[in-house]
Amino acid sequence: CAHNTDPPNGLKISEKSARLGLMKKHRFNLALEFGDRKDHITPIVWEAFSSGTVPVIIGAQNIQDHFPVDSFISNSGLQHYGDLGHRVARIVKDKVEWERYQKWRTDPEAKQIFEMKYNFTRTSSECRVCRWAYAKQYGLGWSHTQQYVHETTIQRNLCLDRSQNLVARPFRESWQMTSGNTNHDDYIDIRVGADSSTCVETTSSILEITNSFALTRTVKFHDNVIDMEFTNFDDQPPQKDIILQFEIPIQNAYGSSFPNPHTLVQTMRGISVSSIALQDRKSKAIIIANWNTKITCPRKGIVEVVVRKSNERWINGDDERRSIRVILEDLVELYDKSTEFYPTSFAKLMIQDFVDPLELFYFE
């Protein structure tokens, strides 16, 4: 600093009020940042706007994303600093041109957009970090622009269809008994009807897949995941595969999916379970079963799990309790890598809890 002028009223330049008072004496304020990193904006720029001058900014490469149009001058698109100087000199001599850079201050729409964009700064950075950590821990949605926690895109409320007592939200549950050829006469399809649904935290019911085959299915919502447990299978083995189908509102192109994402999480029993992951631009789902079985994604948003194979004999007992966990979360780049083959922190925790619970008790 050449120290070619002093702040008013004998104030110190280290004081914000002194700096603002000095800036107000001039039409322009030169704001030189320490680099051109994306989103890098320091108080130098904010104070220039607060003083009422037109900031001349040499800094963040995407500075135009942060402030109203025609509210500042930057070196973006200019080849040399001399070009920036000539531009400023021209505007100094043209009152109409200079006033154009002040119009946004009296434009209600421009002011509203600007204020909404930075409304989050009314909350301290410490509180915003805590919000972000909470959202990451529980796999919740996160607004990067407003920096607050919100519900996941696929809401996790467990809601049942009243007519069939099947899950209607956050996914649609259906059961099939088939050998893979849906044209067979013995093809059975039990799915959610058109009736309204009711939301619960847990439910247990007996599902009759056919007249000769039934099972007890318990569904529970807890810790932001949904668990399904199947017990009391009929002793008589089914003639066809018993398939549980999940219809999830995820637009995974061409039914693309990633098999067994649980293998990327360190567990003791991982070798004896099965899983699948699918995602789109907004959401991600992981379906994991606690036994070796076939899990596929035959088409967009559909996951099929073979709960019991044809002619498979069943031994009722604690070791034969079959469970499925459904993990739904938003894709937030600020949490983790968030790809099909890389479980997030929340997914890792829920997978470990499901595959290797600290303790497991069964109550009759």
Side-chain angles (χ1 to χ4, degrees):
C1 178
H3 195 85
N4 57 353
T5 187
D6 291 307
N9 304 323
L11 298 175
K12 296 181 180 180
I13 196 66
S14 58
E15 299 173 358
K16 181 179 178 180
S17 59
R19 294 192 298 273
L20 293 179
L22 185 59
M23 293 179 193
K24 288 178 180 179
K25 293 183 177 182
H26 306 277
R27 291 187 179 183
F28 299 91
N29 178 69
L30 184 59
L32 299 175
E33 296 283 24
F34 296 105
D36 63 350
R37 296 188 303 277
K38 184 179 178 182
D39 301 326
H40 179 73
I41 303 172
T42 68
I44 295 174
V45 175
W46 294 108
E47 289 179 4
F49 274 103
S50 298
S51 70
T53 65
V54 176
V56 180
I57 304 172
I58 300 177
Q61 55 188 271
N62 67 331
I63 193 70
Q64 69 279 356
D65 297 337
H66 292 273
F67 299 102
V69 177
D70 292 337
S71 64
F72 65 95
I73 300 170
S74 75
N75 63 329
S76 177
L78 300 178
Q79 297 296 324
H80 305 285
Y81 290 127
D83 297 334
L84 180 61
H86 291 312
R87 183 179 179 185
V88 173
R90 177 176 55 82
I91 296 175
V92 167
K93 299 176 182 179
D94 189 337
K95 182 179 179 181
V96 175
E97 184 70 6
W98 182 83
E99 289 178 343
R100 182 167 67 90
Y101 285 90
Q102 296 288 355
K103 284 185 177 180
W104 72 273
R105 296 181 184 274
T106 56
D107 184 341
E109 183 178 358
K111 288 175 62 178
Q112 183 181 25
I113 294 174
F114 185 48
E115 290 172 357
M116 285 297 296
K117 181 177 179 64
Y118 287 101
N119 186 57
F120 68 86
T121 58
R122 299 178 185 273
T123 304
S124 69
S125 58
E126 290 84 359
C127 288
R128 285 183 272 128
V129 169
C130 288
R131 290 176 179 177
W132 174 82
Y134 177 83
K136 177 178 178 179
Q137 181 178 0
Y138 294 102
L140 298 171
W142 173 255
S143 171
H144 177 51
T145 56
Q146 293 298 312
Q147 300 197 7
Y148 65 83
V149 182
H150 62 76
E151 269 288 352
T152 50
T153 302
I154 303 176
Q155 294 191 9
R156 295 165 170 170
N157 295 342
L158 175 59
C159 301
L160 303 178
D161 170 67
R162 292 176 181 174
S163 61
Q164 298 280 3
N165 204 33
L166 298 177
V167 177
R169 291 197 306 271
F171 54 82
R172 294 174 67 87
E173 171 192 7
S174 63
W175 289 82
Q176 301 170 1
M177 185 174 181
T178 176
S179 60
N181 183 356
T182 58
N183 294 322
H184 285 187
D185 293 337
D186 56 2
Y187 173 74
I188 305 297
D189 189 359
I190 303 176
R191 62 179 60 246
V192 173
D195 294 344
S196 59
S197 58
T198 181
C199 296
V200 297
E201 289 189 358
T202 184
T203 182
S204 181
S205 60
I206 298 176
L207 296 180
E208 292 188 6
I209 308 301
T210 67
N211 292 333
S212 60
F213 186 84
L215 57 84
T216 300
R217 188 269 277 117
T218 301
V219 185
K220 183 178 181 181
F221 173 77
H222 68 96
D223 298 319
N224 290 305
V225 297
I226 295 176
D227 285 348
M228 307 179 77
E229 183 178 274
F230 315 104
T231 57
N232 300 326
F233 283 86
D234 285 347
D235 295 334
Q236 187 67 27
Q239 298 301 309
K240 305 294 181 182
D241 290 348
I242 304 298
I243 297 174
L244 169 58
Q245 184 182 93
F246 299 87
E247 183 180 343
I248 308 171
I250 288 182
Q251 303 299 310
N252 53 322
Y254 308 105
S256 59
S257 60
F258 187 79
N260 296 320
H262 72 276
T263 58
L264 300 177
V265 181
Q266 186 174 4
T267 59
M268 297 178 61
R269 294 184 58 254
I271 194 172
S272 61
V273 304
S274 306
S275 63
I276 196 171
L278 58 154
Q279 71 178 49
D280 56 20
R281 293 179 179 272
K282 295 182 178 180
S283 305
K284 180 175 182 178
I286 295 178
I287 313 294
I288 180 169
N290 71 339
W291 77 100
N292 278 318
T293 188
K294 182 180 179 181
I295 305 180
T296 59
C297 180
R299 59 188 183 277
K300 183 168 59 179
I302 300 297
V303 172
E304 294 183 346
V305 181
V306 178
V307 175
R308 189 172 177 185
K309 298 177 182 178
S310 61
N311 299 317
E312 179 186 6
R313 294 197 172 275
W314 181 264
I315 302 175
N316 279 314
D318 290 348
D319 294 337
E320 293 298 328
R321 292 174 183 260
R322 293 186 172 178
S323 301
I324 291 176
R325 172 162 290 183
V326 180
I327 305 171
L328 299 171
E329 55 186 329
D330 273 8
L331 280 183
V332 181
E333 294 181 356
L334 293 177
Y335 292 166
D336 300 278
K337 294 181 180 179
S338 295
T339 63
E340 295 99 327
F341 48 87
Y342 192 92
T344 64
S345 300
F346 171 71
K348 288 179 181 178
L349 180 63
M350 293 299 102
I351 290 173
Q352 289 174 331
D353 172 71
F354 182 75
V355 178
D356 292 330
L358 294 178
E359 291 185 87
L360 191 61
F361 298 96
Y362 293 109
F363 297 95
E364 298 295 343

